[in-house]
Amino acid sequence: MEYNGKKALVCGMAKSGIAAAKLLNRLGAEVTLQDMKKRDAISADVLSLENEGIVLYTGANPDDIACEQDIIVLSPGIPCDLPFIAAAEAAGVEVISEVELAYGLTPCPITAITGTNGKTTTTTLTGEIMKAVYPETAVVGNIGISYSGEVERLTEKDWVVAEISSFQMEKAKEFHPHISAVLNITPDHLNRHKTMEVYIAMKERVFAKQTAEDFCILNHGDEACRKMADKTAAKVFFFSSSEKLEEGIYLDGENIEVRWGNINETLINVNDLQILGVHNHENVMAAAAAGICANVPLDTIRSVLKAFGGVEHRIEYVATVDGVDYYNDSKGTNVDASIRAVLAMKKPIVLIGGGYDKGSSFDEWTQLFPGRVKHLVLIGVTAPKVRASAEKFGFTAISDCETFQEAVDLCRAKAEAGDCVLLSPACASWGMFDNYEQRGDMFKEQVRSYLK
């Protein structure tokens, strides 16, 4: 679409919405940026956009102007079932996601990574692999860097590595990565998608436009992912942590093996990696597969894997205090992610859990507690639900805390030398925090205060 002179409405004043509004403004569109927050709750930086000619629409849904637009761009946090969206589409207005907007302006190949868990680690690692060959690679998307903010600097010689959420795919229409990856599928965001079928369908959109010239990386050990092999036109590259594959990349004991085309060799021994847990071995395999599909030399991939120290807020080692190791897994915002964190710990765990309720069952997580978790400290609105789930499995070493600071202090009191304290809430941060990053940063700040 040609944007010059078009009327564009961008919904959502978070990072991606702001970046999309600025991008459209630079492209000559008449831009309105909308958010449900009232004007007095909006930061000065956002208010300054008015000086650039962007109109701010605050405190309400844009029902009165939606149908007047040429295009509406939705930030990921905007539900797609709002009445103004349906009305606009019925009036012939193009409604797309921020990712779709940026995609349409991208001059280079794209690697798109989705799944329930592991996206950020895999995207970050894939980005490092690609940067070794394509130094100007843009690592964008749900990882916290807006795609719209990076796209204008790209040339056809560059590469995009994008972390893609199910929300970002809801209004994606022509999005076509050269390499896609679906890491795993477990229940998440059902408060928005309502059913697993819809959730899976949103994930599948990442490869919907791919052709036989493209690649789709799938988790062979995940039934939902394995079934996707029959739904994509792309060449499927499987990875597995549980079985040997005739073609693909897999974990064999402590070695990651590659069987792909002319490659038939050990990529790396997992003891040479800095990141913990089988789930991270899967992330490594997916990232390596993406690199192989992009023709990155295996020795280059190997070097990057050995140097990679993980990502912030994902089983991130913080400090050892009085013989107790502290780990920040604030990005454990759903049950499956927190299962992986619990299983990665090698010491008795004092665990912080709870937060915003996304409608999940906690049973698969709490049934792991006996024999692994020494004490559970609960916060947030899900505390009663998590407690009830844990008690079903005979786990009763549970405390409730009103504040996060109180919870971290209680963990310190409960933990002894040789234990670990793990923040892995299995819940979103909303309600108590702005985001999971703020929750993780507060945890790290408090833990490091114990060292003083």
Side-chain angles (χ1 to χ4, degrees), residues 31 50 109 140-141 150 211 234 250 272 276 303 307 309 312 344 394 402 420 425 434 438:
V31 182
E50 291 179 319
V140 300
E150 293 286 298
T211 71
Y250 61 89
D272 291 330
L276 302 174
S303 296
E312 192 176 19
E402 290 295 321
C420 65
D434 293 338
Q438 184 188 57

PDB file of all heavy atoms in Angstrom, residues 31 50 109 140-141 150 211 234 250 272 276 303 307 309 312 344 394 402 420 425 434 438:
ATOM      1  N   VAL A  31      -1.757  10.463  10.599  1.00  0.00           N
ATOM      2  CA  VAL A  31      -1.766   9.429  11.632  1.00  0.00           C
ATOM      3  C   VAL A  31      -2.498   9.868  12.889  1.00  0.00           C
ATOM      4  O   VAL A  31      -2.258  10.959  13.423  1.00  0.00           O
ATOM      5  CB  VAL A  31      -0.323   9.013  12.006  1.00  0.00           C
ATOM      6  CG1 VAL A  31      -0.340   7.893  13.047  1.00  0.00           C
ATOM      7  CG2 VAL A  31       0.439   8.575  10.760  1.00  0.00           C
ATOM      8  N   GLU A  50       2.657  14.766  19.261  1.00  0.00           N
ATOM      9  CA  GLU A  50       1.778  15.783  18.659  1.00  0.00           C
ATOM     10  C   GLU A  50       2.599  16.842  17.938  1.00  0.00           C
ATOM     11  O   GLU A  50       2.134  17.429  16.950  1.00  0.00           O
ATOM     12  CB  GLU A  50       0.890  16.411  19.729  1.00  0.00           C
ATOM     13  CG  GLU A  50      -0.150  15.442  20.286  1.00  0.00           C
ATOM     14  CD  GLU A  50      -1.012  16.057  21.370  1.00  0.00           C
ATOM     15  OE1 GLU A  50      -0.457  16.796  22.222  1.00  0.00           O
ATOM     16  OE2 GLU A  50      -2.226  15.808  21.358  1.00  0.00           O
ATOM     17  N   PRO A 109      15.289 -11.137   3.548  1.00  0.00           N
ATOM     18  CA  PRO A 109      14.669 -12.353   4.077  1.00  0.00           C
ATOM     19  C   PRO A 109      14.343 -12.243   5.567  1.00  0.00           C
ATOM     20  O   PRO A 109      14.974 -11.491   6.315  1.00  0.00           O
ATOM     21  CB  PRO A 109      15.726 -13.439   3.829  1.00  0.00           C
ATOM     22  CG  PRO A 109      16.655 -12.869   2.818  1.00  0.00           C
ATOM     23  CD  PRO A 109      16.649 -11.396   3.034  1.00  0.00           C
ATOM     24  N   VAL A 140      13.780  -8.492  16.103  1.00  0.00           N
ATOM     25  CA  VAL A 140      12.612  -7.649  16.367  1.00  0.00           C
ATOM     26  C   VAL A 140      11.405  -8.473  16.807  1.00  0.00           C
ATOM     27  O   VAL A 140      11.450  -9.694  16.897  1.00  0.00           O
ATOM     28  CB  VAL A 140      12.231  -6.854  15.094  1.00  0.00           C
ATOM     29  CG1 VAL A 140      13.361  -5.959  14.638  1.00  0.00           C
ATOM     30  CG2 VAL A 140      11.820  -7.807  13.960  1.00  0.00           C
ATOM     31  N   GLY A 141      10.313  -7.747  17.066  1.00  0.00           N
ATOM     32  CA  GLY A 141       9.027  -8.386  17.332  1.00  0.00           C
ATOM     33  C   GLY A 141       8.699  -8.470  18.797  1.00  0.00           C
ATOM     34  O   GLY A 141       8.987  -7.550  19.578  1.00  0.00           O
ATOM     35  N   GLU A 150      12.608  -0.663  13.131  1.00  0.00           N
ATOM     36  CA  GLU A 150      13.858  -1.107  12.525  1.00  0.00           C
ATOM     37  C   GLU A 150      13.795  -1.205  11.013  1.00  0.00           C
ATOM     38  O   GLU A 150      14.815  -1.178  10.333  1.00  0.00           O
ATOM     39  CB  GLU A 150      14.229  -2.494  13.087  1.00  0.00           C
ATOM     40  CG  GLU A 150      14.593  -2.497  14.566  1.00  0.00           C
ATOM     41  CD  GLU A 150      15.955  -1.904  14.812  1.00  0.00           C
ATOM     42  OE1 GLU A 150      16.956  -2.455  14.316  1.00  0.00           O
ATOM     43  OE2 GLU A 150      16.031  -0.860  15.494  1.00  0.00           O
ATOM     44  N   THR A 211       6.258 -21.183   0.741  1.00  0.00           N
ATOM     45  CA  THR A 211       6.231 -22.037  -0.441  1.00  0.00           C
ATOM     46  C   THR A 211       7.309 -23.113  -0.315  1.00  0.00           C
ATOM     47  O   THR A 211       8.045 -23.182   0.679  1.00  0.00           O
ATOM     48  CB  THR A 211       6.492 -21.218  -1.710  1.00  0.00           C
ATOM     49  OG1 THR A 211       7.871 -20.806  -1.717  1.00  0.00           O
ATOM     50  CG2 THR A 211       5.601 -19.980  -1.768  1.00  0.00           C
ATOM     51  N   ALA A 234       6.303 -25.539   2.942  1.00  0.00           N
ATOM     52  CA  ALA A 234       7.745 -25.359   3.070  1.00  0.00           C
ATOM     53  C   ALA A 234       8.443 -26.694   3.340  1.00  0.00           C
ATOM     54  O   ALA A 234       7.821 -27.680   3.743  1.00  0.00           O
ATOM     55  CB  ALA A 234       8.038 -24.378   4.201  1.00  0.00           C
ATOM     56  N   TYR A 250      18.948 -33.380  16.358  1.00  0.00           N
ATOM     57  CA  TYR A 250      18.396 -34.073  17.521  1.00  0.00           C
ATOM     58  C   TYR A 250      19.441 -34.242  18.623  1.00  0.00           C
ATOM     59  O   TYR A 250      20.658 -34.146  18.368  1.00  0.00           O
ATOM     60  CB  TYR A 250      17.835 -35.438  17.116  1.00  0.00           C
ATOM     61  CG  TYR A 250      18.846 -36.394  16.521  1.00  0.00           C
ATOM     62  CD1 TYR A 250      19.586 -37.268  17.324  1.00  0.00           C
ATOM     63  CD2 TYR A 250      19.069 -36.430  15.144  1.00  0.00           C
ATOM     64  CE1 TYR A 250      20.508 -38.137  16.774  1.00  0.00           C
ATOM     65  CE2 TYR A 250      19.992 -37.298  14.582  1.00  0.00           C
ATOM     66  CZ  TYR A 250      20.710 -38.155  15.402  1.00  0.00           C
ATOM     67  OH  TYR A 250      21.642 -39.013  14.864  1.00  0.00           O
ATOM     68  N   ASP A 272      29.121 -27.987  26.612  1.00  0.00           N
ATOM     69  CA  ASP A 272      29.821 -26.805  26.117  1.00  0.00           C
ATOM     70  C   ASP A 272      28.904 -25.590  26.006  1.00  0.00           C
ATOM     71  O   ASP A 272      29.343 -24.515  25.594  1.00  0.00           O
ATOM     72  CB  ASP A 272      30.433 -27.097  24.745  1.00  0.00           C
ATOM     73  CG  ASP A 272      31.579 -28.098  24.822  1.00  0.00           C
ATOM     74  OD1 ASP A 272      32.255 -28.139  25.861  1.00  0.00           O
ATOM     75  OD2 ASP A 272      31.777 -28.844  23.844  1.00  0.00           O
ATOM     76  N   LEU A 276      21.010 -23.723  30.653  1.00  0.00           N
ATOM     77  CA  LEU A 276      20.633 -24.941  31.356  1.00  0.00           C
ATOM     78  C   LEU A 276      19.334 -25.545  30.835  1.00  0.00           C
ATOM     79  O   LEU A 276      18.434 -24.832  30.395  1.00  0.00           O
ATOM     80  CB  LEU A 276      20.447 -24.646  32.850  1.00  0.00           C
ATOM     81  CG  LEU A 276      21.627 -24.060  33.628  1.00  0.00           C
ATOM     82  CD1 LEU A 276      21.184 -23.714  35.039  1.00  0.00           C
ATOM     83  CD2 LEU A 276      22.800 -25.019  33.648  1.00  0.00           C
ATOM     84  N   SER A 303      30.497 -21.819  17.165  1.00  0.00           N
ATOM     85  CA  SER A 303      31.173 -20.773  17.955  1.00  0.00           C
ATOM     86  C   SER A 303      30.174 -19.883  18.680  1.00  0.00           C
ATOM     87  O   SER A 303      30.374 -19.529  19.853  1.00  0.00           O
ATOM     88  CB  SER A 303      32.063 -19.918  17.040  1.00  0.00           C
ATOM     89  OG  SER A 303      33.099 -20.692  16.482  1.00  0.00           O
ATOM     90  N   ALA A 307      29.389 -19.374  22.944  1.00  0.00           N
ATOM     91  CA  ALA A 307      29.531 -18.051  23.572  1.00  0.00           C
ATOM     92  C   ALA A 307      28.234 -17.525  24.160  1.00  0.00           C
ATOM     93  O   ALA A 307      28.250 -16.566  24.947  1.00  0.00           O
ATOM     94  CB  ALA A 307      30.061 -17.051  22.537  1.00  0.00           C
ATOM     95  N   GLY A 309      25.224 -16.741  26.389  1.00  0.00           N
ATOM     96  CA  GLY A 309      24.989 -16.831  27.832  1.00  0.00           C
ATOM     97  C   GLY A 309      23.533 -16.785  28.252  1.00  0.00           C
ATOM     98  O   GLY A 309      23.233 -16.706  29.448  1.00  0.00           O
ATOM     99  N   GLU A 312      18.018 -12.262  29.397  1.00  0.00           N
ATOM    100  CA  GLU A 312      17.570 -11.709  30.664  1.00  0.00           C
ATOM    101  C   GLU A 312      16.161 -12.207  30.997  1.00  0.00           C
ATOM    102  O   GLU A 312      15.315 -12.335  30.111  1.00  0.00           O
ATOM    103  CB  GLU A 312      17.583 -10.181  30.581  1.00  0.00           C
ATOM    104  CG  GLU A 312      17.412  -9.486  31.913  1.00  0.00           C
ATOM    105  CD  GLU A 312      17.531  -7.983  31.806  1.00  0.00           C
ATOM    106  OE1 GLU A 312      17.386  -7.450  30.684  1.00  0.00           O
ATOM    107  OE2 GLU A 312      17.772  -7.331  32.838  1.00  0.00           O
ATOM    108  N   ALA A 344      14.825 -27.588  35.368  1.00  0.00           N
ATOM    109  CA  ALA A 344      16.216 -27.214  35.100  1.00  0.00           C
ATOM    110  C   ALA A 344      17.032 -27.054  36.374  1.00  0.00           C
ATOM    111  O   ALA A 344      18.267 -27.132  36.338  1.00  0.00           O
ATOM    112  CB  ALA A 344      16.267 -25.913  34.299  1.00  0.00           C
ATOM    113  N   GLY A 394      -0.562 -33.090  47.650  1.00  0.00           N
ATOM    114  CA  GLY A 394       0.038 -33.292  48.964  1.00  0.00           C
ATOM    115  C   GLY A 394       1.120 -32.307  49.325  1.00  0.00           C
ATOM    116  O   GLY A 394       1.842 -32.510  50.305  1.00  0.00           O
ATOM    117  N   GLU A 402       1.579 -10.489  50.578  1.00  0.00           N
ATOM    118  CA  GLU A 402       0.831  -9.380  49.989  1.00  0.00           C
ATOM    119  C   GLU A 402       1.665  -8.591  48.993  1.00  0.00           C
ATOM    120  O   GLU A 402       1.155  -8.118  47.990  1.00  0.00           O
ATOM    121  CB  GLU A 402       0.349  -8.437  51.101  1.00  0.00           C
ATOM    122  CG  GLU A 402      -0.753  -9.019  51.978  1.00  0.00           C
ATOM    123  CD  GLU A 402      -2.035  -9.264  51.208  1.00  0.00           C
ATOM    124  OE1 GLU A 402      -2.379  -8.422  50.344  1.00  0.00           O
ATOM    125  OE2 GLU A 402      -2.670 -10.304  51.427  1.00  0.00           O
ATOM    126  N   CYS A 420      18.239 -23.261  46.163  1.00  0.00           N
ATOM    127  CA  CYS A 420      18.144 -22.158  45.214  1.00  0.00           C
ATOM    128  C   CYS A 420      16.790 -21.477  45.383  1.00  0.00           C
ATOM    129  O   CYS A 420      15.807 -22.104  45.786  1.00  0.00           O
ATOM    130  CB  CYS A 420      18.330 -22.626  43.779  1.00  0.00           C
ATOM    131  SG  CYS A 420      17.053 -23.730  43.151  1.00  0.00           S
ATOM    132  N   PRO A 425       6.908 -17.528  38.028  1.00  0.00           N
ATOM    133  CA  PRO A 425       5.540 -17.401  38.555  1.00  0.00           C
ATOM    134  C   PRO A 425       4.459 -18.224  37.864  1.00  0.00           C
ATOM    135  O   PRO A 425       3.378 -18.409  38.405  1.00  0.00           O
ATOM    136  CB  PRO A 425       5.245 -15.911  38.394  1.00  0.00           C
ATOM    137  CG  PRO A 425       6.585 -15.260  38.244  1.00  0.00           C
ATOM    138  CD  PRO A 425       7.410 -16.257  37.515  1.00  0.00           C
ATOM    139  N   ASP A 434       4.092  -3.612  35.633  1.00  0.00           N
ATOM    140  CA  ASP A 434       3.806  -3.165  34.271  1.00  0.00           C
ATOM    141  C   ASP A 434       4.037  -4.288  33.268  1.00  0.00           C
ATOM    142  O   ASP A 434       3.344  -4.400  32.265  1.00  0.00           O
ATOM    143  CB  ASP A 434       4.686  -1.967  33.904  1.00  0.00           C
ATOM    144  CG  ASP A 434       4.355  -0.725  34.700  1.00  0.00           C
ATOM    145  OD1 ASP A 434       3.214  -0.637  35.225  1.00  0.00           O
ATOM    146  OD2 ASP A 434       5.226   0.161  34.811  1.00  0.00           O
ATOM    147  N   GLN A 438       9.781  -5.661  34.519  1.00  0.00           N
ATOM    148  CA  GLN A 438       9.787  -4.914  35.775  1.00  0.00           C
ATOM    149  C   GLN A 438       9.824  -5.869  36.961  1.00  0.00           C
ATOM    150  O   GLN A 438      10.562  -5.654  37.930  1.00  0.00           O
ATOM    151  CB  GLN A 438       8.551  -4.018  35.852  1.00  0.00           C
ATOM    152  CG  GLN A 438       8.532  -3.130  37.093  1.00  0.00           C
ATOM    153  CD  GLN A 438       7.217  -2.391  37.246  1.00  0.00           C
ATOM    154  OE1 GLN A 438       6.151  -3.012  37.304  1.00  0.00           O
ATOM    155  NE2 GLN A 438       7.277  -1.064  37.297  1.00  0.00           N
TER     156      GLN A 438
END
